[in-house]
Amino acid sequence: QVQLVESGGGLVQAGGSLSLSCVASGRSFSTYGMGWFRQAPGKEREFVVSISWGGGRTYYADSVKGRFTISRDNAKNTVYLQMNSLKPEDTAVYYCAASKTTYGSRWSQYDYWGQGTQVTVSS
């Protein structure tokens, strides 16, 4: 069992930056693919970015490519999401997720989820 706790959300002006963290409890964090998803009001949950078990491979949604950066520190059981050049359309609840088998883009591939952290970007 893995428990995920996100932090770092908040309110920022367009063009600003935020850094999210997700700390995992439990064993074998380094064997999980990790992903960030987001869900805006009235919209479906969408993929943002993912990272492989060792951190060597990443996969970004086109909408955030060049602006967001995912990283992980397996010694600290933590995955990070650095968000730069934020836009109002980035406003959403951001969720961290862990997968035992993949680091893909479909939310159904993930086994464990955090509670989410709100990111609001004002124009």
Side-chain angles (χ1 to χ4, degrees):
Q1 190 78 5
V2 174
Q3 292 184 330
L4 304 172
V5 179
E6 303 99 334
S7 62
L11 173 64
V12 64
Q13 289 187 334
S17 299
L18 278 176
S19 181
L20 305 184
S21 298
C22 172
V23 179
S25 64
R27 298 180 178 180
S28 303
F29 174 74
S30 62
T31 66
Y32 289 90
M34 299 298 297
W36 287 95
F37 291 75
R38 65 188 182 186
Q39 188 166 18
K43 295 187 177 180
E44 293 187 352
R45 188 169 300 191
E46 66 171 351
F47 170 76
V48 177
V49 60
S50 61
I51 190 167
S52 61
W53 305 270
R57 295 189 177 187
T58 56
Y59 180 31
Y60 290 87
D62 288 342
S63 59
V64 305
K65 204 172 291 184
R67 301 188 298 122
F68 290 12
T69 302
I70 189 172
S71 61
R72 67 188 296 165
D73 185 339
N74 287 341
K76 296 182 178 179
N77 280 17
T78 303
V79 62
Y80 304 96
L81 180 62
Q82 178 64 41
M83 304 184 294
N84 298 327
S85 302
L86 283 160
K87 304 175 181 180
E89 51 264 43
D90 295 318
T91 296
V93 177
Y94 283 70
Y95 297 91
C96 170
S99 172
K100 293 181 285 188
T101 58
T102 185
Y103 57 100
S105 62
R106 297 197 303 271
W107 65 265
S108 60
Q109 295 173 309
Y110 289 79
D111 305 289
Y112 304 102
W113 292 83
Q115 82 289 350
T117 186
Q118 177 71 46
V119 171
T120 303
V121 184
S122 63
S123 57

